[in-house]
Amino acid sequence: MSIGNSPEDERPFRDESQEARVSVGRALQQARIAAGLTVDDVSTATRVRIAIVHAIEADDFAPCGGDVYARGHIRTLAKAVHLDPAPLIAQYDAEHGGRPAPTPAAPLFEAERIRPERRGPNWTAAMVAAIVVVIGFVGFTAVKGGGSGNDAKSQVAQGGGTPTASRSASPTPTKGKPAAPSPAPSDSAIAAAPQDKVTVQISAPNGRSWISAKDHNGRMLFDGLLNKGQSKTFQDSTKINLILGDAGAIELYVNGKKIDDNFQPGQVERLTYTKGDPVAG
């Protein structure tokens, strides 16, 4: 007869708390069903693609493109189905190795930093060069005008033509030189954009964000990193499709009007604007 524990007694205890715990994706799915919403409803309200909604509800976060975007999607979907996103994000962090370093988006843009960014023309340098040319030309004209006046007087004394033409021609360059173009479109220029087009201005005053912009044909207008303090302006005849990697760092002006949507830091937004937007705001 055995006086030790039986094999059944030596089996490890099951952690019933873990078995009873609902996964992040399952919690979002249950809340959506309880709210009477379909996946299409949630996708339309949040602008998160249907395939990504299905994947998250199945606890597959790979299509999100990384932890930063996964947290953004979880936060967006939780608000759409009336859940508090904080516990779900904390659960996601606990199950996926914890919250990353303070700059989670940096590895995603490593390739973008290695590849030199194409920059537009330096309008400030062009403006300075234009001013220098104008000043130089005015000085040269003034010196030359003094000499031509003496020549005109000698021509009159000798019975030559009147000096009117030579005098009237010399001041002309001082008036006709146009100012160099401004470095970037101002808000008034955005507001004065043609009404038969859609104009979108994106700036990053609060930090950097990856952005993607396409026209109505799906042609890529821009796909890259917008650093803090930079801005981009896009225009199309019908619509512009945007993806913002960190919407909380972005300010948007559509057809001259500021979009106040209170985007949160780290939140991924997929937006589409037409020439009639915004309806109000």
Side-chain angles (χ1 to χ4, degrees), residues 159-171:
T162 62
T164 304
S166 63
R167 288 184 180 178
S168 61
S170 60

Side-chain angles (χ1 to χ4, degrees), residues 65-276:
D67 290 340
V68 173
Y69 300 116
R71 290 186 186 86
H73 288 323
I74 292 172
R75 180 182 292 105
T76 301
L77 295 179
K79 290 180 179 179
V81 298
H82 314 298
L83 279 182
D84 182 7
L88 296 178
I89 294 175
Q91 183 177 346
Y92 175 86
D93 290 338
E95 294 173 353
H96 293 81
R99 194 170 185 82
T103 55
L108 299 177
F109 306 119
E110 202 65 40
E112 198 65 36
R113 290 202 301 270
I114 294 173
R115 183 176 63 189
E117 181 180 356
R118 293 183 180 178
R119 297 183 180 273
N122 190 337
W123 294 115
T124 303
M127 184 184 297
V128 172
I131 293 173
V132 171
V133 170
V134 171
I135 293 174
F137 190 77
V138 170
F140 173 76
T141 304
V143 173
K144 186 177 180 181
S148 63
N150 295 330
D151 293 342
K153 290 178 181 179
S154 63
Q155 289 176 4
V156 172
Q158 297 173 5
T162 62
T164 304
S166 63
R167 288 184 180 178
S168 61
S170 60
T172 303
T174 62
K175 300 179 182 178
K177 195 69 176 179
S182 60
S186 63
D187 291 345
S188 60
I190 295 297
Q195 295 184 356
D196 59 344
K197 294 183 179 180
V198 54
T199 303
V200 176
Q201 184 187 43
I202 304 176
S203 60
N206 303 318
R208 62 179 183 176
S209 173
W210 171 84
I211 66 172
S212 171
K214 294 182 180 180
D215 63 11
H216 72 281
N217 291 321
R219 181 173 63 89
M220 185 67 70
L221 301 176
F222 182 79
D223 183 16
L225 182 64
L226 193 67
N227 287 313
K228 184 177 181 179
Q230 290 184 331
S231 65
K232 293 285 183 183
T233 302
F234 308 106
Q235 194 173 74
D236 187 69
S237 61
T238 305
K239 68 178 179 179
I240 291 179
N241 298 309
L242 299 174
I243 302 178
L244 309 179
D246 185 355
I250 293 298
E251 280 189 359
L252 278 177
Y253 287 84
V254 178
N255 297 324
K257 296 181 180 180
K258 185 176 181 181
I259 304 300
D260 293 320
D261 279 354
N262 297 322
F263 298 132
Q264 299 299 316
Q267 183 174 355
V268 178
E269 285 292 337
R270 288 170 172 80
L271 308 170
T272 298
Y273 293 108
T274 65
K275 55 191 177 183

